[in-house]
Amino acid sequence: MEWKPHITVATVVEDNGRFLMVEELKRDRAVLNQPAGHLDPNESLIEAAIRETLEETGYDVELTGVIGIYLYTAPSNGVTYQRICFAGKALRHHPDYQLDTGIIGPLWLTRDELIEQRDRWRSELTLQCIDDYLDGKLFDLTLIRPSV
């Protein structure tokens, strides 16, 4: 068996102490996560983060920095994910946007509200990315280099 990490992106969007979250179905269970997803072929990491946020929440965002790069092995399936997490700000909401299959919809939650629902997190990265953002861990977008 060949081991391959899965490259994913996520976006932390904060507005007055509330964070843009996604409620989605995973194995017939409603879970919470940042807008996140897989990198598509011929797509930059920045393009992927903007696209995934729109597809999962109906929000256009402007990315403002890189929060961190995380390596996570899911205990449920043993798959290793490399997540590049961005910070962004919401620009415009498209309430009639057709969200991805399996997405219930966007939610704006405070950190405390998210902690109250710990049993619904998609992974531990859900809170880790928010906490790193709140701790001021933000790198310039030039950290992400285009493909050569």
Side-chain angles (χ1 to χ4, degrees):
M1 180 167 103
E2 184 178 340
W3 178 83
K4 292 182 184 178
H6 295 247
I7 306 299
T8 62
V9 294
T11 308
V12 172
V13 178
E14 188 251 346
D15 184 29
N16 293 313
R18 292 181 131 16
F19 294 92
L20 180 59
M21 304 301 295
V22 174
E23 186 176 25
E24 61 185 327
L25 290 175
K26 189 69 176 172
R27 294 182 190 87
D28 297 323
R29 185 174 160 259
V31 298
L32 299 171
N33 196 14
Q34 280 88 26
H38 291 266
L39 177 68
D40 283 348
N42 303 313
E43 181 177 52
S44 74
L45 293 167
I46 290 172
E47 290 167 342
I50 292 169
R51 174 186 54 77
E52 285 290 350
T53 304
L54 176 63
E55 290 176 353
E56 294 191 350
T57 68
Y59 279 89
D60 291 323
V61 295
E62 175 186 349
L63 301 183
T64 58
V66 179
I67 297 169
I69 300 170
Y70 305 82
L71 200 59
Y72 175 76
T73 301
S76 61
N77 60 14
V79 173
T80 299
Y81 299 90
Q82 181 180 35
R83 174 189 267 206
I84 297 85
C85 189
F86 294 90
K89 66 178 182 178
L91 299 176
R92 181 174 167 210
H93 186 228
H94 305 274
D96 296 327
Y97 191 88
Q98 181 64 48
L99 303 178
D100 277 354
T101 302
I103 302 295
I104 298 167
L107 298 170
W108 288 92
L109 300 173
T110 65
R111 183 183 184 280
D112 289 342
E113 290 169 333
L114 187 60
I115 287 174
E116 290 171 5
Q117 300 184 60
R118 183 181 196 111
D119 61 321
R120 295 185 61 210
W121 298 351
R122 177 133 184 204
S123 80
E124 297 297 316
L125 289 177
T126 304
L127 186 64
Q128 183 67 56
C129 291
I130 288 174
D131 282 348
D132 286 348
Y133 168 82
L134 289 171
D135 286 343
K137 295 181 176 144
L138 195 62
F139 301 89
D140 192 271
L141 286 172
T142 59
L143 178 68
I144 305 298
R145 308 306 260 175
S147 179
V148 289

